[in-house]
Amino acid sequence: MSYLSVAKTYELIEHIEQQRALWDPSHPDYRNKYLRSNCFKEIGRKLLVTENEVKSKWTYLRHNFAKEFAKERRNSPGGGRYDEYTSKWEYRNALNFLTSVILSKEEQRNCIDSVNVYASLYITQC
C-alpha cells in the first residue's frame, strides 16, 4: 500500500465530501455498490492510488473521526465532565461534514433505546 501524504489525504477528503453517496446513508445511491466502487476508483485515479487504498484510507479517517467526535461529546460540559476535550487530530475539522451522519446514528440509537424501554415497561405491566 502506498503512503498518502498529508496534502493527498486532504485532497482525498475533499473528493469524498463531494461524493455524498460515499458517506451519507440517507443518499439514494449509498447502497449502490457499483456506483460507490466507481467513485472510489475515480478518486484513486486522481490521487494515483488503487481503489482499495482509497477505501482503506477512507475507513481509517471515518473511524477516527467518529472516535474523536465521541470524545468531544463525552467530555463536553453537558456530558458530566468539566474538562472539555479538544481534538488535536489533524483531519478533524476537514471531516466535519460527517457530523450530521454521526448525530443521525445517535438519534436512531436513542429512538431504539426508547422503544426498548417502553416495550419492557409494557411487558412488565401485563
Side-chain angles (χ1 to χ4, degrees):
M1 178 154 115
S2 70
Y3 171 77
L4 279 181
S5 67
V6 172
K8 288 269 189 190
T9 300
Y10 277 111
E11 194 177 335
L12 168 71
I13 292 168
E14 288 174 17
H15 288 304
I16 295 278
E17 183 177 11
Q18 293 169 7
Q19 297 294 329
R20 198 169 185 95
L22 296 178
W23 58 269
D24 184 358
S26 69
H27 191 279
D29 290 322
Y30 182 76
R31 293 195 183 354
N32 183 335
K33 291 180 182 182
Y34 179 76
L35 180 127
R36 289 170 52 91
S37 178
N38 283 339
C39 289
F40 282 122
K41 282 178 191 169
E42 181 62 21
I43 292 169
R45 189 187 61 72
K46 291 175 182 177
L47 299 175
L48 304 175
V49 296
T50 68
E51 173 187 359
N52 286 337
E53 289 169 319
V54 171
K55 285 180 180 179
S56 176
K57 187 68 168 187
W58 174 239
T59 300
Y60 162 79
L61 291 167
R62 190 183 62 228
H63 176 76
N64 277 346
F65 176 81
K67 283 181 13 182
E68 289 296 309
F69 188 77
K71 286 181 195 176
E72 291 169 358
R73 300 254 309 166
R74 192 170 41 248
N75 292 315
S76 67
R81 291 190 182 165
Y82 297 105
D83 53 334
E84 192 168 326
Y85 176 79
T86 303
S87 177
K88 294 176 180 70
W89 186 46
E90 184 165 12
Y91 305 111
R92 165 59 180 92
N93 291 335
L95 291 163
N96 227 18
F97 62 92
L98 294 175
T99 301
S100 63
V101 172
I102 290 174
L103 289 175
S104 175
K105 285 182 181 182
E106 281 184 12
E107 289 171 1
Q108 289 172 3
R109 277 195 296 274
N110 290 341
C111 183
I112 289 169
D113 290 345
S114 295
V115 168
N116 289 338
V117 167
Y118 289 127
S120 67
L121 287 173
Y122 176 77
I123 290 170
T124 56
Q125 291 176 356
C126 289

